[in-house]
Amino acid sequence: MSTADTLLDVRGLRVDIPTPNGMLHAVRGIDFDLKRGETLCLVGESGCGKSLTAMALMGLLPRKALRTADRLEFQGNDILSLPEKAFNRLRGNRMAMIFQEPMTSLNPALTIGQQLVDVHRQHRNVSTKEARERALFLFEKIGVSAPVERLKQYPHELSGGLRQRMMIAMALMCGPQLLLADEPTTALDVTIQAELLRVLRNLQEEFGMGMILITHDLGVVSRMADKVAVMYAGEIVERGDVYQVFNRPSHPYTRGLLECLPIPGRHKHMAHLPSIPGVVPSLIGDLTGCAFRERCQYAEDRCGEADIDWRQLPDGQGYQCILPASSDGVASEVSR
Amino acid sequence: MYRYILRRSVSGLLLILAVSLATFFLMFAGGDPATRMAGESGSVADIIRIREAYGFDRPIIMQYLSWLGGFLTGDLGRSLYFDLPVSSILVERMFTTMRLGACAILLAVAIGVPLGVAAGCHPNTKIDRFALLFAVVGQAMPTFWFALLLVIAFSVTFPILPSSGLDSWKHYIMPMVVLSYFAAPAIMRLTRSGMIGVLDTDYIRTARAMGIVPRKVLMKYALRNALIPVVSLAAAQFGYMLAGSVVVESVFAIHGAGRLAWESILRSDLPVIQALVLCFSLFYIVLTFLADVVNAWLDPRMRIS
């Protein structure tokens, strides 16, 4: 399975958080891998464990959260048992992360320049001048106006879009092989969203980075992803090439998500948009069977009796459901 | 930054003017000063003579301006009790109290901030519980009682420290400890809660995600933001220490400004009270000004408001 091109290899990743009401199984044994230069989109609704998955990969989980896995390898090296000091040398260096909230993710008391220079000098033996040159080089790639002045400015002097560009620059200071982006454009307005996604895409191609993009926006997925993993209640329920998953969604949850996308022509103007009925089950304690069955229109008795086997299709797509793989175009059938 | 300092100085000067006006009218708070100074046995002729001698017969605004002018040139009037220029009594007393206060606030910060950082970084651990105990004891114990306990312990039982006066550095130790133990708990608590709040922010998560070493995250990325409210608190407490040092100065028989203020109030020595109030206010205004400048340096967002 793992080849020289494999950047990240994750098997059976679990994140458990002790709560007063019992153990909360936030991420329930997920598998995926990522090749160099590839973009994987983690999709799912709030609380499905996609952000915690990213934090687990970065080793940045809350102190009381427990991370376990059968295998967790970055560039062929085990990072599961990596001591904190050694892990810290990877962070911001070979793997970096950008966050959802550009307004609060930069330090208000330090200039942009100080923060960018600190990151570079933390991992590379360079002078302040060289670090600033690296920042200006990235600003040009990212499309930052008045780059020299930006270094002297404080975060509160910049707009949300510019702050997110600064976050991207900070993450790329050391030229990481892996970039994790947790809803990087959610807090921004649509025109800036599109522009930033284009910037990310270009940078990824230019630097050959692997990217994990966390989003709940299927529009973003269609524009950015090579591969998609759909998460529900802490599990990956469907995974595959973006074209396969969009054309042949086989898990009822994936189909439901695609149904909820408003498409002019398919949905009447001002009509109620379809939604998936019901709520996500509690993640505290053990779950037997399919976590989606309460909300699934195809649910049968056996869905709740035992854990559902993973169905791997020959072309790489896989899903966790008792239903047979749908043929192309089934999504439009379901909509009727 | 310089524009902020300039703007802040102008508002500080205006405040000083307002305080001087209020202080000046203190003179008339107890009725006609000439009548009061003449005493119960004073005749009408005495009152008129006093009125002319002290210039109470001039228009109020002229009296204020000449009083303010005198203050600016170091002439604070004459003490009614000592019959000496107020400045000759005041300056030394003020310096004594300020020196003691400065030592105490430095000690309070030196203890409160590191303890608060340690507690804030490890909430609900042994170090946190110890810090909390330290704070509760410090805040609950009356200052005079703690001072007396120290005297009993280190001057009586183990006579290693002098119990009164301020003649050598040894004399400073006990009053300094008492005053700083009064101020350190609040500083510790504010540092602790600031640290806990800041360590939970998105920008600290960012710094960690960028692999900045923990020591640097703490000292450069977190502490700077956590200290902003602590600076204002420390300045306010330093001011409070000057005015509130009466108790400590009484216990340790220190001739400081706090004690002088208390005694002058008992003697109705108005010129001295007036000068003390104005000096304390001035000092307080200067302190808050300095605190604001330090905060503007720590937090660039304050420079615009």
Side-chain angles (χ1 to χ4, degrees):
Chain A
M1 187 81 203
S2 124
T3 64
D5 259 0
T6 305
L7 193 59
L8 197 62
D9 190 2
V10 180
R11 292 288 171 271
L13 176 67
R14 307 182 63 88
V15 177
D16 300 313
I17 302 168
T19 72
N21 303 322
M23 192 63 96
L24 189 143
H25 304 288
V27 177
R28 300 170 173 251
I30 62 173
D31 307 335
F32 64 88
D33 53 83
L34 184 73
K35 291 189 176 56
R36 270 194 291 159
E38 200 174 54
T39 301
L40 167 72
C41 277
L42 278 181
V43 194
E45 58 199 287
S46 307
C48 71
K50 51 194 199 299
S51 289
L52 277 173
T53 302
M55 297 308 259
L57 295 177
M58 290 291 289
L60 287 175
L61 288 171
R63 217 176 296 187
K64 56 180 185 168
L66 308 166
R67 180 186 67 177
T68 50
D70 301 328
R71 186 156 78 226
L72 192 57
E73 287 180 3
F74 175 64
Q75 295 183 311
N77 301 310
D78 173 48
I79 54 170
L80 189 64
S81 53
L82 200 62
E84 177 56 26
K85 258 194 167 164
F87 211 128
N88 214 34
R89 284 198 286 270
L90 291 181
R91 280 195 284 262
N93 182 11
R94 284 158 65 189
M95 53 165 75
M97 184 162 181
I98 53 181
F99 299 96
Q100 182 177 352
E101 305 84 7
M103 304 313 278
T104 53
S105 292
L106 292 165
N107 198 313
L110 302 171
T111 62
I112 299 294
Q114 283 174 298
Q115 299 184 50
L116 292 176
V117 167
D118 271 357
V119 175
H120 205 206
R121 283 169 59 88
Q122 181 69 53
H123 301 290
R124 301 276 185 277
N125 190 15
V126 294
S127 68
T128 303
K129 190 164 170 285
E130 286 168 302
R132 292 167 70 91
E133 274 160 17
R134 168 75 183 168
L136 292 174
F137 165 79
L138 288 170
F139 282 179
E140 200 194 318
K141 299 266 173 223
I142 297 170
V144 174
S145 58
V148 181
E149 284 74 56
R150 299 294 175 220
L151 287 178
K152 285 181 236 144
Q153 284 182 309
Y154 289 93
H156 71 271
E157 297 172 287
L158 307 177
S159 67
L162 258 176
R163 290 191 209 188
Q164 197 60 298
R165 283 170 208 258
M166 297 304 154
M167 273 299 300
I168 295 173
M170 201 193 285
L172 298 184
M173 280 305 276
C174 297
Q177 282 86 38
L178 172 65
L179 182 65
L180 299 166
D182 186 356
E183 309 249 15
T185 58
T186 307
L188 304 169
D189 69 60
V190 255
T191 48
I192 296 169
Q193 247 182 51
E195 167 68 12
L196 272 186
L197 289 175
R198 195 184 58 76
V199 164
L200 274 177
R201 182 100 236 193
N202 290 345
L203 289 168
Q204 183 205 13
E205 271 167 25
E206 184 165 348
F207 297 131
M209 287 182 296
M211 181 153 78
I212 294 180
L213 185 64
I214 293 170
T215 182
H216 60 263
D217 184 344
L218 291 173
V220 171
V221 177
S222 66
R223 244 180 298 176
M224 302 291 288
D226 299 310
K227 290 199 291 190
V228 191
V230 180
M231 285 189 75
Y232 184 79
E235 289 177 318
I236 289 180
V237 294
E238 183 155 9
R239 194 177 61 209
D241 186 279
V242 66
Y243 298 105
Q244 296 165 353
V245 173
F246 270 60
N247 290 325
R248 196 178 57 194
S250 294
H251 193 283
Y253 179 64
T254 316
R255 286 187 217 168
L257 282 183
L258 288 167
E259 274 309 296
C260 298
L261 266 187
I263 295 168
R266 178 156 22 127
H267 300 292
K268 276 200 202 97
H269 187 57
M270 296 301 283
H272 275 296
L273 280 172
S275 58
I276 305 173
V279 292
V280 185
S282 162
L283 295 179
I284 293 176
D286 289 323
L287 273 178
T288 311
C290 173
F292 187 62
R293 65 177 187 273
E294 301 291 337
R295 302 169 75 181
C296 179
Q297 53 182 319
Y298 308 104
E300 300 170 15
D301 285 348
R302 61 186 168 129
C303 290
E305 279 162 9
D307 285 345
I308 311 297
D309 288 334
W310 180 263
R311 291 198 180 202
Q312 190 67 45
L313 302 180
D315 57 4
Q317 188 179 358
Y319 62 101
Q320 194 166 40
C321 184
I322 54 165
L323 290 178
S326 53
S327 53
D328 287 16
V330 77
S332 52
E333 266 170 48
V334 173
S335 72
R336 278 187 250 122
Chain B
M1 186 75 182
Y2 297 111
R3 277 179 56 201
Y4 174 82
I5 294 178
L6 193 70
R7 218 167 33 224
R8 189 63 188 70
S9 324
V10 170
S11 71
L13 282 174
L14 286 175
L15 194 60
I16 289 174
L17 224 60
V19 169
S20 75
L21 211 60
T23 318
F24 172 71
F25 280 105
L26 263 186
M27 196 65 168
F28 304 94
D32 177 25
T35 314
R36 208 173 50 238
M37 282 158 77
E40 281 177 24
S41 61
S43 65
V44 177
D46 288 339
I47 293 174
I48 291 172
R49 235 191 351 263
I50 292 173
R51 199 169 278 161
E52 277 167 7
Y54 284 85
F56 292 135
D57 52 349
R58 292 173 299 165
I60 282 278
I61 181 77
M62 292 307 294
Q63 293 186 42
Y64 171 67
L65 287 178
S66 76
W67 175 77
L68 191 66
F71 194 88
L72 290 176
T73 53
D75 174 16
L76 308 179
R78 277 183 95 76
S79 160
L80 304 178
Y81 178 82
F82 296 103
D83 200 27
L84 285 168
V86 173
S87 50
S88 67
I89 311 162
L90 196 72
V91 172
E92 201 195 316
R93 300 284 197 115
M94 277 302 279
F95 271 116
T96 301
T97 300
M98 275 163 73
R99 202 157 42 226
L100 185 61
C103 293
I105 197 74
L106 284 179
L107 184 65
V109 168
I111 293 170
V113 169
L115 199 59
V117 169
C121 292
H122 309 282
N124 300 319
T125 57
K126 268 185 193 143
I127 175 79
D128 188 26
R129 299 254 189 278
F130 168 76
L132 198 68
L133 183 74
F134 167 84
V136 168
V137 171
Q139 282 176 323
M141 229 173 3
T143 317
F144 73 89
W145 188 62
F146 180 53
L148 290 175
L149 283 188
L150 284 187
V151 171
I152 291 171
F154 297 107
S155 299
V156 180
T157 313
F158 305 101
I160 46 174
L161 291 173
S163 66
S164 61
L166 270 187
D167 301 327
S168 72
W169 63 268
K170 275 186 171 180
H171 289 81
Y172 277 88
I173 293 177
M174 283 200 292
M176 197 170 110
V177 167
V178 172
L179 275 176
S180 62
Y181 196 22
F182 174 75
I187 291 175
M188 190 288 284
R189 277 169 182 270
L190 201 61
T191 309
R192 175 186 179 273
S193 65
M195 223 44 204
I196 289 176
V198 168
L199 286 177
D200 201 34
T201 58
D202 291 337
Y203 56 84
I204 292 302
R205 184 183 61 184
T206 303
R208 284 188 178 136
M210 296 300 163
I212 306 289
V213 286
R215 188 169 21 87
K216 196 168 180 185
V217 170
L218 215 61
M219 301 312 287
K220 182 169 179 182
Y221 284 74
L223 191 57
R224 200 182 162 110
N225 288 289
L227 278 187
I228 291 163
V230 178
V231 172
S232 310
L233 176 74
Q237 277 186 323
F238 189 11
Y240 188 79
M241 260 181 204
L242 297 192
S245 57
V246 186
V247 174
V248 173
E249 288 179 5
S250 300
V251 172
F252 293 103
I254 296 165
H255 293 284
R259 196 139 164 244
L260 179 66
W262 180 57
E263 286 165 357
S264 299
I265 291 167
L266 293 183
R267 299 176 195 133
S268 301
D269 195 348
L270 267 176
V272 177
I273 299 172
Q274 230 177 2
L276 276 169
V277 170
L278 197 56
C279 283
F280 283 143
S281 314
L282 275 181
F283 189 72
Y284 206 86
I285 289 169
V286 171
L287 273 181
T288 46
F289 168 73
L290 289 178
D292 282 353
V293 170
V294 171
N295 272 344
W297 171 70
L298 285 172
D299 185 357
R301 286 167 298 182
M302 287 191 195
R303 290 170 211 168
I304 29 171
S305 60

